[in-house]
Amino acid sequence: QPGGVMAEAGPDGVVTLFIDIAQRSNLQLHVNAVDDVSFGPPVPMKIGEVKRAVRCVGVQLNDVIATYVSPDSYVYDSHSFVKVYVQEADRSAGIAVLIDPFSVQQVVPAVGNKLTITGTLMFPDAEAILLAHTSKITDHLSTPPAPLALNQRSLGGRTFNQPTLSGPGLCNV
């Protein structure tokens, strides 16, 4: 299974990675190998490209706009993060980002802030989320982009207000 790790060299230019590889099956086989390792800067990508990525790579998002900052903490791997949703300026795609509010390399944005973020893509709870390693505010919009408006027929169902089979919601029959 391909994967990605993002690390930053220390003052002497040395990177030490300790990788704990856990299996998701009940097999008792414990042979693990890490091959095809390469080092390089994070790859600047658009959010849509990140969400279509085949492997979890180190990513850099440039000039994305914060559209929602959750007031509740998000706990991942026994650590509390602030969950922020960001989108492209053209509203073509959006993604959740976990920001460490106690990191000196990260800043929690306000809605409307433009950001440059580096991080690693992960999928906890089946949602594509970028775990931020750095975040920097690059600009602030006076008005965030308006939400996209879609009619019900664009989301599912054949006719307007077609009844659903199991209660409230969209009909996709």
Side-chain angles (χ1 to χ4, degrees), residues 43-65:
V43 180
M45 299 174 84
K46 295 288 188 186
I47 294 171
E49 295 172 311
V50 172
K51 291 174 105 174
R52 288 188 303 270
V54 175
R55 56 179 73 206
C56 300
V57 294
V59 172
Q60 180 174 324
L61 299 177
N62 295 318
D63 293 327
V64 293
I65 302 166

Side-chain angles (χ1 to χ4, degrees), residues 104-119:
V104 296
Q105 295 183 324
Q106 299 179 40
V107 61
V108 177
V111 171
N113 285 148
K114 275 190 167 183
L115 304 161
T116 293
I117 301 168
T118 59

